[in-house]
Amino acid sequence: LRDNRIELVRASWHELSISVSDVSLSDEGQYTCSLFTMPVKTSKAFLTVLGVPEKPQITGFTSPVMEGERMQLTCKTSGSKPAADIRWFKNDKEVKDVKYLKEEDTVRKTFTVSSTLDFLADRSDDGAVVSCRVDHESLNSTPQIAMQVLEIHYTPLVKIISSNSWPEEGQSIILTCESKGKPV
């Protein structure tokens, strides 16, 4: 092996060790160690290299969104090998009904994984935090997460509140008009 990333660690009659720095996907494959005796003895090992997924990105959100409009948020990550797992959460609660797409880059033998969250905007979603979580064995149980805070505009609800439910003749009464909408 002629590569300046490969270093001889130990060479003795009993052991030959090498180290490979800055490992890339092209380093994957079968490695053979030969002992030049009569007959020649060999030992083989297959090295599997994991592709680390890129930090996910959420696209498709335009702010603000009107209540009742359809929202399609897409989360995408590239470079994973094997394919990464994507999950969606809304305020830390997992959303299950999502579309999932896996595309293989046949040259690099890595995967681009995307998932689409499709729902109708509701006033209860205003201020909600939507997150996309990428899990992969190369991440050592520390998922990569992308987040998006939702801003939903909605028409006001109006109500009149009376200071006295059953006013009597001659009493004062205060009527308050209350409205809740976004924008205010």
Side-chain angles (χ1 to χ4, degrees):
L1 294 166
R2 285 167 174 71
D3 188 322
N4 58 8
R5 296 175 305 117
I6 298 173
E7 185 182 330
L8 183 62
V9 176
R10 172 177 282 173
S12 73
W13 292 109
H14 306 289
E15 183 182 333
L16 184 65
S17 300
I18 60 170
S19 74
V20 183
S21 58
D22 194 22
V23 173
S24 69
L25 291 167
S26 62
D27 292 320
E28 180 167 288
Q30 187 165 277
Y31 286 72
T32 306
C33 175
S34 297
L35 183 63
F36 291 98
T37 56
M38 283 296 179
V40 174
K41 293 179 181 169
T42 60
S43 182
K44 299 175 189 288
F46 193 89
L47 176 69
T48 300
V49 179
L50 300 176
V52 182
E54 292 171 7
K55 185 166 172 51
Q57 294 202 314
I58 296 175
T59 56
F61 182 70
T62 49
S63 184
V65 175
M66 288 301 296
E67 181 177 42
E69 282 182 12
R70 180 166 293 284
M71 291 181 72
Q72 284 191 321
L73 302 180
T74 300
C75 180
K76 189 174 183 178
T77 179
S78 301
S80 60
K81 179 179 165 284
D85 181 44
I86 292 184
R87 293 192 293 162
W88 285 99
F89 294 84
K90 192 192 286 184
N91 289 338
D92 296 326
K93 187 178 177 196
E94 187 167 2
V95 181
K96 293 281 193 183
D97 190 21
V98 293
K99 293 179 191 139
Y100 186 81
L101 180 66
K102 181 172 78 173
E103 301 169 83
E104 186 174 7
D105 177 339
T106 50
V107 177
R108 296 183 64 223
K109 295 190 169 57
T110 61
F111 292 89
T112 294
V113 184
S114 61
S115 178
T116 303
L117 180 63
D118 192 331
F119 62 102
L120 293 177
D122 184 80
R123 63 185 63 208
S124 63
D125 293 327
D126 185 48
V129 178
V130 172
S131 57
C132 160
R133 172 177 159 161
V134 173
D135 289 289
H136 192 261
E137 56 192 287
S138 69
L139 299 173
N140 298 323
S141 302
T142 307
Q144 293 180 328
I145 298 172
M147 290 190 287
Q148 177 67 62
V149 178
L150 303 182
E151 185 185 1
I152 313 295
H153 282 191
Y154 49 93
T155 54
L157 287 174
V158 182
K159 62 181 175 182
I160 298 171
I161 302 164
S162 170
S163 63
N164 190 334
S165 300
W166 302 100
E168 294 178 16
E169 187 177 13
Q171 284 184 329
S172 294
I173 187 169
I174 298 170
L175 298 177
T176 306
C177 180
E178 193 178 86
S179 123
K180 186 171 193 270
K182 189 167 184 183
V184 175

